[in-house]
Amino acid sequence: MGTGTIRHMALFTLKVPADSREAQAFLKDGKEILSGIPVVRQFEALRQVSAKCEFDFCFSMEFANQEDYDSYNNHPDHQAFVSERWETEVAKFQEIDLLK
């Protein structure tokens, strides 16, 4: 285990109902913006289906290594999405970073 690939997952619940148009727009915009960052691989926007989890959605993506992950975190498109959308539309979240 441990090839250097990092899987980053952000589980979250929005301030609006999960089945609303606003939620769908957030997921669509997040996918377009975040997957457009060159170091992001395998981006997925997922809907939670387990009653055991308190979150409604997940953004999952991979990075080749820690350097790429750091580049993503510092990328202006990521930072803008966080400040303009994430911080205003997300009610709660949990981030998980795993080494593959």
Side-chain angles (χ1 to χ4, degrees):
M1 187 163 104
T3 64
T5 300
I6 296 171
R7 171 153 312 147
H8 170 69
M9 294 180 287
L11 293 95
F12 59 96
T13 296
L14 296 170
K15 294 178 181 177
V16 297
D19 58 351
S20 68
R21 268 194 255 155
E22 294 89 350
Q24 294 310 308
F26 182 90
L27 296 173
K28 178 181 172 286
D29 293 346
K31 182 174 184 175
E32 287 177 9
I33 293 165
L34 301 176
S35 68
I37 298 172
V39 295
V40 173
R41 304 182 337 191
Q42 305 293 323
F43 186 95
E44 296 178 290
L46 306 165
R47 174 80 187 254
Q48 176 58 253
V49 296
S50 172
K52 296 177 184 179
C53 183
E54 64 181 291
F55 302 102
D56 294 328
F57 302 105
C58 177
F59 285 160
S60 176
M61 62 200 83
E62 291 186 357
F63 302 94
N65 52 45
Q66 185 66 49
E67 182 180 4
D68 283 0
Y69 181 52
D70 293 342
S71 176
Y72 163 78
N73 277 318
N74 294 315
H75 194 281
D77 291 346
H78 173 256
Q79 291 183 345
F81 183 77
V82 168
S83 66
E84 295 168 13
R85 302 294 300 275
W86 190 269
E87 291 177 357
T88 60
E89 297 179 52
V90 173
K92 60 184 177 179
F93 72 97
Q94 173 69 54
E95 291 188 11
I96 301 171
D97 298 310
L98 305 167
L99 185 62
K100 285 178 67 178

